[in-house]
Amino acid sequence: MEETGSADRMFISVFDIFKVGIGPSSSHTVGPMVAVHRYLDRARGLAGAQAKAARLTVTLHGSLAFTGKGHATDKAVCLGLLGARPDSLDPDQVDPMLDVLEKEKRLRIPGLPELAFLPDRDVIFDYGPSLPLHANGMTFELLDVSGTVIDSFVYYSIGGGFVVSEAELTKTTNEPVTELARQDVPFPFASASQMLAMGKEAELSIAEMKLRNECATQSLEEVEAGIDKLWTAMDASINRGISQTGQLPGGLKVKRRAADIYQQLILEGRSNPRFEHNVVDWLGVYAMAVNEENAAGGRVVTAPTNGAAGVIPAVTRYYLDHCKDADQAGIRTFLLTAAAVGGIIKANASISGAEVGCQGEVGSASAMAAAGLCAALGGSNEQIENAAEIALEHHLGMTCDPIGGLVQVPCIERNALGAVKAVTAASLALRGNGSHFVPLDGCIETMRQTGMDMMEQYKETSKGGLAVNIVEC
């Protein structure tokens, strides 16, 4: 029994690129929770499942296994089986829910019989080779009382909270897109060159085209309200992050720093900065605040992933706090433009650290933020494309090598640097006329090829780089 889905569609909504969820990882926490719900929907439709099903197992493969403990993937699977969804789960309820499951060792899933489930036994970490199609594979098996497999099905968590089946993944392979996207939106661009050409012909900005695409399925009021809600969630993650202190979970004893830095900046005063580069400190503290929240399992917005969740909120907050005439309309322009660039990157390369390294996460986020800021500050479409290219180009080759499999070191500081690069890229682009040497499409293709050539140990497995050269404390 195969599933059908919409993964073959090229149009990627702003609400797909940006999703509210919980930390610490969109591919290892949000995605697995989504996959659980997809499988449960499938299981309810299986002939005989209601009468025969007695037990469920979930096997994590590849990167999901190697860094699953540090990314709380096993907990995410259990929470999904308990009915939790990443966009509505209260982080304060996580431990109580897991404690009940550990005690009762049973799953009571609507539409299925009561199932035996022991988390330590039934969430299986497979440390062998990854599944052939992607580094983040999950195999679900439904068994009867004798242990005979009733059903087996595989999902892949491909980054940013996106989940696909094997059939869907073959339609969204990591290859450049050469044809126009699906035709039921007004501006079906699948590449930066198509985006620029359509904008020139229609005499519209990238944000205006993206907005019209979104309004093909929703009203303008719904789209704008949804974007405003996303920014509210991003801003809330900054505000919570700059108010929390203490150590982050996971055993590395990493201390939260954003709150302390924020208080230093407040005491120094924004109007009389100690150094001319004071604004860089504000960018850094905003980004670190979000990623400390993410590392603690708090609520963040995938932008485009959890591991890179701090870059876009930081640059957006910078726009609001430090740029003249910033307003809510500018934030909408920012996020629409950023989503347009993020969709092109995802369609033609990847936003998954397990697939192409951190160039696909923080690199993509920085490119999106650079494009968004450039747009909000009045840049032309050509300048926006230039800004995205500059930011992405200077993240090429960046590995994903989290120490201890935790989204802490180097991830938190890396977001701060990604935000700084985004502002620098937007500034450089605004100083020019949009003409530049390397097109964004060429840079995205370079990232794709670099990711394919990158050795597995540098792609979110914690088997290389900093993960093996720095002794855990």
Side-chain angles (χ1 to χ4, degrees), residues 151-440:
D151 181 60
S152 179
F153 201 82
V154 174
Y155 289 102
Y156 294 93
S157 178
I158 61 174
F162 290 89
V163 171
V164 293
S165 66
E166 290 186 344
E168 291 166 349
L169 186 58
T170 60
K171 299 177 183 178
T172 57
T173 54
N174 187 7
E175 294 292 337
V177 177
T178 57
E179 299 178 356
L180 288 180
R182 79 179 214 241
Q183 299 297 313
D184 55 351
V185 294
F187 300 98
F189 51 81
S191 67
S193 61
Q194 291 172 0
M195 180 176 69
L196 291 177
M198 289 182 187
K200 184 175 182 178
E201 181 179 357
E203 297 184 344
L204 293 172
S205 71
I206 293 168
E208 288 169 333
M209 290 190 292
K210 183 66 174 170
L211 181 60
R212 294 193 186 191
N213 285 350
E214 297 292 337
C215 289
T217 56
Q218 299 182 73
S219 69
L220 174 63
E221 292 74 17
E222 289 174 322
V223 174
E224 290 185 338
I227 294 171
D228 293 347
K229 184 178 179 180
L230 288 170
W231 167 241
T232 297
M234 290 180 182
D235 198 36
S237 66
I238 293 175
N239 293 333
R240 181 171 171 79
I242 57 179
S243 68
Q244 300 296 305
T245 58
Q247 283 186 0
L248 294 171
L252 291 185
K253 301 180 182 179
V254 173
K255 182 182 177 182
R256 285 182 181 254
R257 291 181 288 163
D260 181 56
I261 296 172
Y262 178 74
Q263 290 303 318
Q264 292 179 41
L265 291 169
I266 290 294
L267 289 173
E268 291 172 9
R270 297 183 190 177
S271 58
N272 296 295
R274 185 180 176 189
F275 302 111
E276 289 295 329
H277 62 255
N278 173 269
V279 70
V280 173
D281 296 334
W282 284 103
L283 274 166
V285 77
Y286 295 150
M288 291 172 65
V290 175
N291 282 85
E292 286 176 358
E293 273 300 287
N294 178 62
R299 187 176 304 283
V300 298
V301 177
T302 61
T305 66
N306 281 30
V311 177
I312 288 171
V315 178
T316 308
R317 183 75 169 260
Y318 162 82
Y319 163 72
L320 274 181
D321 290 354
H322 299 275
C323 297
K324 186 179 178 180
D325 299 327
D327 57 16
Q328 192 68 23
I331 292 176
R332 293 170 186 161
T333 293
F334 188 121
L335 295 180
L336 284 165
T337 305
V341 170
I344 290 171
I345 294 173
K346 186 181 186 308
N348 292 279
S350 176
I351 58 171
S352 168
E355 196 167 19
V356 296
C358 198
Q359 59 175 350
E361 295 203 30
V362 170
S364 295
S366 187
M368 293 163 65
L373 180 61
C374 188
L377 296 179
S380 67
N381 289 352
E382 289 74 20
Q383 288 172 318
I384 292 165
E385 185 260 359
N386 187 14
E389 188 283 322
I390 293 170
L392 185 60
E393 179 181 336
H394 298 291
H395 284 87
L396 290 176
M398 182 176 284
T399 59
C400 182
D401 50 355
I403 296 174
L406 298 167
V407 191
Q408 298 179 17
V409 183
C411 317
I412 294 170
E413 288 182 354
R414 189 168 282 176
N415 275 258
L417 272 292
V420 172
K421 286 185 181 182
V423 173
T424 303
S427 181
L428 284 172
L430 287 167
R431 295 287 183 182
N433 62 5
S435 176
H436 57 108
F437 193 78
V438 179
L440 177 58

Side-chain angles (χ1 to χ4, degrees), residues 131-151:
L131 298 182
L133 294 183
H134 195 278
N136 288 339
M138 302 174 65
T139 300
F140 291 81
E141 290 191 337
L142 199 62
L143 300 89
D144 64 17
V145 290
S146 68
T148 301
V149 175
I150 300 171
D151 181 60

